[in-house]
Amino acid sequence: MQDIIASSAAARPQLPKAPTGIDGLDEITEGGLPLGRPTLVCGSAGCGKTLMGVEFLVRGILNHDEPGVLMAFEETADELAANVTSLGFDLKALQAAGKLKLDHVHVDRSEIEETGEYDLEGLFIRLGYAIDSIGAKRVVFDTIEALFSGFPNQAVLRSEIRRLFRWLKDKGVTTIITAERGEGSLTRQGLEEYVSDCVILLDNRVIDQITTRRLRIVKYRGSTHGTNEYPYLITEDGISVVPVTSLKLAHEVSDEIVSSGVPALDDMFGRRGFFQGSSVLITGTAGTAKTTLAAAFAAAICRQGKRCLFFAFEESPRQLVRNMRSVGLDLEPYQQQGLLYIESSRPTLNGLEKHLVTLHKLITEQKPAAVVIDPISNLITVGNIAEVRSMLTRLIDFLKVHNVTALFTSLISGRNVQQEMTEEGVSSLVDTWLSVRDLEGIGERNRGISILKSRGMSHSNQVREFIVTDNGICLLDVVVGPTGIVTGASRLTQQLQEETLALAARQELERKDREIERKRRVLEATITNLRTEFESVEEELRQINQEELLRQQTRTTNRQQIAASNGATSATSPPHA
């Protein structure tokens, strides 16, 4: 039944939409702005309303070959062209190609005299000519407040604004109309939001000296859409909107396994490594070799000829390379081959959203197989826990969609009773969770590693002691003492005791082997003597038998000779009378 409902929902006709081409906006609007209808973009000064309109036109021309008209009431064509040149938008070239028409309408209250019934018919004629001259499919008005400020008869103007929206719909052009935000309402006049088919609210707020721009879809007639507030940035490539979460968890998964870079650690997993495209979290207190484990993973990726992005929030690239070289991990050749890219900066350099956009941009450009962020706990300095969790959720979803294996490290406080809980609260989001911690014994501190979870595969439940050597990380064999697993000096003592016992057992075994060999030789000698004695008796009996046989033959011969002699005597004697 659910399949029938789902299939019928998928088969329903969808509202035609015009993709904006703005990074992230088409995702939360589920396809773009309503095709052939007006959309209101409102917000306070500095939110990027004009830029959104310009990018909507430029992306439409470049990506969809849809000419556009920009009717500006505040900035001239030259000013607009100059303002967006730094973003790579060449408006003059688009004008020369006949794809874009910039029309600056100057409205000055002091230059207007009302001599009769006022309307916007002149504006319609001017706009209609611009649309028809280039076959425009997209139109931007920036900003509509200029019309309200220029004419005093508000009742007539409101009526004309309604007529303008209807005229745009009848014209069939997809339109963005920018408006300034009012006090307690979306717009100053409180009218435009009601006659628009889609309303996008832009906001610019400062919290704890950190500026964040946010976007919200207030309404969208005839279509579902994302309803949250979405942070967005104005970057050198234009506006970038990043959804708070993935709208759907429908990404593909891989059965390919990638190594952790530590063979003994791979052996602790049922599939000998991590799934490609999964997310891995390493938590631990300071000095537990989290960065070394992360570097070993990055080196393992590069050894396979794949790219890896390493975001370091605590060390510079040179410092990281030097430190890892001391433990047998030479990352410099991978850097020179272009397989390893290390991006180092303090988290306070940018806000969370800027960091996220930087990650998106580098991942899109470099197309890595793996990403390492060391550590994510430093992001707490530029946002609260909820914001950091939100940012990391979006990042994890983005990496999963692109089948990029992610490894995060996180510093946890040693004073925290629940040392396995991360402050960012992302441990439930990741697929694999490794815990490294100090194992304090009698007068010493050792390092231990364990697997807290690994989705989709079996894994060891042991806490393995490991050491950082000149040849990298080395997991030590598990040694169980009378009270459980022992580490450090106790482990060495236990190993010596076990080796002593093993040596004694081996010596006892060798002694028994020698005793057996000796008995075997004695037995073999006895058998030899008995065989010799037997052969002597056998020879003697054989001699007796031969002598007896000879005697019998002699007696037989004698008897025959006697019998023959008696026969001859009878033949020569005379017969009796």
Side-chain angles (χ1 to χ4, degrees), residues 510-524:
E510 291 174 354
R511 188 190 65 77
K512 290 182 178 179
D513 289 342
R514 290 194 299 272
E515 181 67 20
I516 291 173
E517 178 65 18
R518 187 164 52 251
K519 288 184 177 180
R520 185 183 63 80
R521 292 177 180 174
V522 171
L523 183 60
E524 288 178 351

Side-chain angles (χ1 to χ4, degrees), residues 42 69 94 105 117 132 165 174 186 226 252 269 277 290 309 324 343-344 355 389 431 448 469 499 533 543 572:
C42 52
V69 173
L94 295 176
V105 179
E117 187 175 352
D132 295 338
F165 277 74
T174 307
L186 294 177
E252 298 291 334
F269 292 92
K290 298 182 296 297
L309 293 181
M324 291 303 105
E343 173 76 13
S344 296
H355 282 299
R389 179 183 172 84
D431 301 305
T469 69
E499 290 176 359
E533 184 179 354
Q543 183 67 31
T572 56

Side-chain angles (χ1 to χ4, degrees), residues 293-365:
L293 285 167
F297 170 72
I301 295 295
C302 295
R303 276 196 294 271
Q304 300 175 13
K306 299 178 181 178
R307 288 184 176 177
C308 180
L309 293 181
F310 199 114
F311 295 90
F313 289 141
E314 292 181 339
E315 298 176 279
S316 68
R318 292 183 178 179
Q319 183 182 3
L320 180 64
V321 171
R322 182 203 63 187
N323 293 345
M324 291 303 105
R325 188 183 294 119
S326 66
V327 295
L329 292 172
D330 192 359
L331 302 178
E332 191 170 4
Y334 303 130
Q335 281 186 299
Q336 296 173 351
Q337 296 171 21
L339 297 175
L340 178 63
Y341 181 84
I342 302 176
E343 173 76 13
S344 296
S345 64
R346 289 292 182 190
T348 51
L349 176 64
N350 299 306
L352 288 174
E353 306 310 322
K354 179 65 175 176
H355 282 299
L356 184 59
V357 170
T358 302
L359 289 167
H360 279 213
K361 183 179 178 181
L362 288 175
I363 291 170
T364 304
E365 292 176 353

Side-chain angles (χ1 to χ4, degrees), residues 434-448:
L434 302 177
S435 173
V436 287
R437 55 184 173 177
D438 292 325
L439 303 174
E440 294 189 13
I442 303 175
E444 61 183 13
R445 175 177 291 178
N446 303 292
R447 299 185 180 99

Side-chain angles (χ1 to χ4, degrees), residues 84-104:
V84 299
T85 299
S86 60
L87 302 176
F89 300 155
D90 192 347
L91 300 187
K92 292 185 176 180
L94 295 176
Q95 279 187 292
K99 297 294 184 181
L100 177 66
K101 193 166 188 64
L102 297 178
D103 190 4
H104 175 237

Side-chain angles (χ1 to χ4, degrees), residues 40-251:
L40 180 67
V41 177
C42 52
S44 55
C47 289
K49 301 183 294 296
T50 302
L51 177 59
M52 178 174 287
V54 172
E55 187 169 355
F56 168 70
L57 292 178
V58 173
R59 303 292 183 195
I61 295 171
L62 298 179
N63 299 342
H64 305 283
D65 193 25
E66 294 184 353
V69 173
L70 173 57
M71 182 165 281
F73 298 95
E74 294 180 345
E75 296 176 277
T76 65
D78 291 338
E79 290 172 341
L80 280 170
N83 292 341
V84 299
T85 299
S86 60
L87 302 176
F89 300 155
D90 192 347
L91 300 187
K92 292 185 176 180
L94 295 176
Q95 279 187 292
K99 297 294 184 181
L100 177 66
K101 193 166 188 64
L102 297 178
D103 190 4
H104 175 237
V105 179
H106 177 68
V107 179
D108 190 338
R109 178 71 182 90
S110 62
E111 300 174 1
I112 297 175
E113 292 185 3
E114 298 187 39
T115 58
E117 187 175 352
Y118 167 75
D119 59 29
L120 294 178
E121 190 62 31
L123 182 69
F124 295 160
I125 295 174
R126 186 168 179 170
L127 181 58
Y129 172 75
I131 293 173
D132 295 338
S133 63
I134 60 172
K137 302 294 183 183
R138 303 185 179 205
V139 172
V140 171
F141 277 92
D142 183 49
T143 67
I144 201 170
E145 265 69 28
L147 295 177
F148 289 101
S149 62
F151 301 96
N153 194 336
Q154 298 295 313
V156 174
L157 188 54
R158 290 169 69 91
S159 174
E160 287 300 294
I161 291 296
R162 290 178 182 274
R163 195 161 70 94
L164 172 62
F165 277 74
R166 171 49 56 188
W167 184 86
L168 291 170
K169 282 188 177 180
D170 295 340
K171 200 68 177 176
V173 291
T174 307
T175 308
I176 283 183
I177 300 172
T178 64
E180 297 179 3
R181 189 171 185 178
E183 293 292 337
S185 60
L186 294 177
T187 60
R188 291 185 178 181
Q189 304 301 322
L191 169 67
E192 302 91 316
E193 58 265 38
Y194 296 103
V195 296
S196 299
D197 289 83
C198 178
V199 177
I200 299 175
L201 175 63
L202 305 182
D203 185 28
N204 188 10
R205 67 187 67 170
V206 180
I207 301 175
D208 294 335
Q209 301 180 346
I210 298 175
T211 301
T212 305
R213 292 186 172 95
R214 297 179 185 274
L215 176 150
R216 182 165 66 93
I217 309 296
V218 179
K219 81 171 187 181
Y220 198 136
R221 287 173 178 162
S223 174
T224 59
H225 57 85
T227 56
N228 297 323
E229 280 192 329
Y230 301 96
Y232 69 97
L233 293 175
I234 299 176
T235 68
E236 59 271 19
D237 297 323
I239 292 177
S240 178
V241 184
V242 185
V244 174
T245 61
S246 288
L247 299 180
K248 295 180 180 178
L249 292 175
H251 55 271

